[in-house]
Amino acid sequence: MRVPVAGGELTVGVWGDGPRTILALHGITANHLAWQSVADRLPAGMRLVAPDLRGRGDSQLPGPYGMAAHAADAVAVLDALDVPSATVVGHSMGGFVALVLADRHPVRVDRLLLVDGGPPLPMPPGNTADERVAAVIGPAAARLAMSFADVAEHRDFWRWHPAFTEWTTNIESYLDYDLAGQPPRMHSKVSPEAVRADSIDTFTGRALADAWRRLRHRPLMLRAEYGMLGALPALYPDPAALADRLTVRTVDGTNHYTILLGERGAAAVADSLRS
């Protein structure tokens, strides 16, 4: 479905139907199809709603970007569906957006699930914003400037990524949806401007810092055992440091990608949403 927001419309994926709505927010270079494997595991009576966040997928909208802007867009999605409150789940940057949504619109969030994202991260190394973006998301940022001859070449780019230790038809659909253009010059739909602005806002903006300081809910956080490149350190290496504010569960054998896109990770997320 398409949902009107400031500056245009968001594309929103909807799975299932029922009285309980789950609002799912994806990561910084992802799209709504990142939630397909989770949606496949949800029972009847649960509806999963996942927008392409502003500047991603088919939500090709201008800025302003940032966590507060994405939170406002998320409220517009709930309004369009006439949902007074929902379970909100966010992966990676989607976790940051979820915290800001819960802080600024607490009555719209009845439960909060964070998936390897949410708590603010330390400032990454680098002298410029672009260097810091590259330090955090690595190949995911580099591909935004790349072109691909066809769908197969784009899939092959991801096959060698060290964190993609699993490969499924859902992963292929997720990757294929991200492509725009025509062979032999295809490219990611993700806006580099959005990624840059969102990264800067994550590390230096007030919305996330204030949401973490005020933390109006006690979320459950599913933490990946391994990091962005499929190895240690994890994105959140010290879960004990979060235990006073969050309930943290480590999903063994998963990394930052497979905790959502992989079979074990998707099952853990779906189990937590069903609880």
Side-chain angles (χ1 to χ4, degrees), residues 144-219:
L144 303 184
M146 298 173 63
S147 63
F148 302 90
D150 50 29
V151 168
E153 184 175 273
H154 183 244
R155 290 181 182 179
D156 287 343
F157 170 84
W158 282 106
R159 284 182 188 275
W160 65 257
H161 190 292
F164 272 60
T165 56
E166 302 176 45
W167 199 263
T168 65
T169 55
N170 281 348
I171 289 176
E172 290 185 347
S173 296
Y174 159 74
L175 296 175
D176 295 352
Y177 176 74
D178 182 56
L179 281 178
Q182 297 294 327
R185 293 190 64 83
M186 305 187 78
H187 58 88
S188 172
K189 293 176 181 176
V190 177
S191 162
E193 178 188 356
V195 170
R196 187 175 188 275
D198 286 340
S199 297
I200 293 170
D201 183 64
T202 296
F203 290 110
T204 65
R206 292 305 315 165
L208 177 58
D210 289 344
W212 180 246
R213 176 174 54 82
R214 288 191 289 253
L215 199 60
R216 303 180 189 277
H217 300 68
R218 183 175 176 87

Side-chain angles (χ1 to χ4, degrees), residues 54-67:
R54 180 179 296 259
R56 284 83 173 172
D58 286 344
S59 297
Q60 294 301 309
L61 300 176
Y65 303 105
M67 303 309 105

